[in-house]
Structures are given as C-alpha cells and as structure tokens.
Amino acid sequence: IREYLENAHRDIYEVKQLRLAICNPKEEIKGVVDLYDFDPYHKRAGVGIAILKEADRTKGFATAGLELLIEYAFKHLRLHQLYATISEDNLSSRILFEKLSFRESGIKKDWIATEKSYKNEHFYQLINE
C-alpha cells in the first residue's frame, strides 16, 4: 500500500493500477475498489473490492462502487473486459459479481493454500460487447 500511495499521482497507463475509495454521502470511506494488472493493449484489467467494516457490508456500497468502476473502465478507459478471481468460500463476492453480469469462466483448482488444505478460486469475466 505504501508503494501504491507513493505512486498515486501517476497515471494508470504508467503504473497499471488504480485504487479508488468508496464513500458514503458524508464522504466517509467505506471501502476501496481497484483496477489492477491493467493491460491497455489487450484492453483488460482485474477488479478487486473490499468493504472495510463488517457493519457496512450488505448496504449497497460494494454494488455502487463496482458499478461506477465498470462504467469508468468501459466508457473512459475503453476496456474490452474486466476480470476477478474469487475464493470459492467468498459467496457474498461471487453473488455481487454475478449480480453485475460477471460470468464464471473457470476454476483454479487447489489454488489457495490454507492451514489444513487448499481452496479453489473462481475466475469471473465481464466482457463489454
């Protein structure tokens, strides 16, 4: 995060990532939404999102933040697609991305090591047609 903040003034085309705060109407930060692995040649980027406090989840902040990021990515950056990787047990994120028309296109088997075993990671894409 420190490295990102030191480079926050630089353009997405230069640093290949963008982090934006998700705020409520009182301008209190409720979470963050990211574009990462930005590839202007192939016109794609990865998407990450986090709502910081448990009490702020399921209140629409993630949906609103992700909707704005999608609009920005497709209209202003002219991307062809966005993608996200989501752990199999993160059902709320999987539901969120599916609600916003991301479609699962693959599963990375045994991708995330845990103390006792491995978890699968689901790969989602939203293609701007």
Side-chain angles (χ1 to χ4, degrees):
I1 291 175
R2 178 181 298 141
E3 181 180 329
Y4 176 81
L5 291 174
E6 289 171 358
N7 292 303
H9 66 283
R10 296 169 61 196
D11 188 83
I12 188 173
Y13 289 91
E14 187 178 354
V15 295
K16 308 298 185 214
Q17 62 180 340
L18 175 68
R19 174 165 288 158
L20 301 168
I22 300 170
C23 298
N24 67 7
K26 296 179 184 177
E27 297 188 10
E28 300 166 326
I29 296 175
K30 298 298 178 177
V32 292
V33 64
D34 300 320
L35 286 178
Y36 64 90
D37 199 19
F38 174 66
D39 186 334
Y41 180 79
H42 295 289
K43 298 183 183 281
R44 66 178 174 236
V47 176
I49 190 163
I51 300 301
L52 305 175
K53 294 180 183 174
E54 187 77 32
D56 289 330
R57 295 179 187 159
T58 70
K59 294 188 176 174
F61 295 117
T63 300
L66 194 50
E67 285 175 334
L68 289 169
L69 185 71
I70 291 167
E71 181 179 350
Y72 177 77
F74 288 158
K75 288 187 179 177
H76 299 285
L77 297 176
R78 298 185 178 167
L79 295 184
H80 174 63
Q81 69 175 288
L82 297 171
Y83 68 88
T85 56
I86 305 171
S87 174
E88 67 185 343
D89 59 350
N90 189 344
L91 294 179
S92 59
S93 286
R94 292 175 60 198
I95 290 167
L96 168 67
F97 279 83
E98 288 173 7
K99 179 172 73 172
L100 295 178
S101 300
F102 280 76
R103 296 294 168 244
E104 184 177 312
S105 61
I107 298 176
K108 299 175 188 177
K109 302 286 187 181
D110 290 349
W111 198 254
I112 301 168
T114 68
E115 289 183 21
K116 297 180 182 178
S117 65
Y118 291 88
K119 292 191 284 188
N120 296 335
E121 187 171 73
H122 294 249
F123 189 81
Y124 284 84
Q125 292 174 279
L126 176 61
I127 298 176
N128 187 18
E129 308 219 21

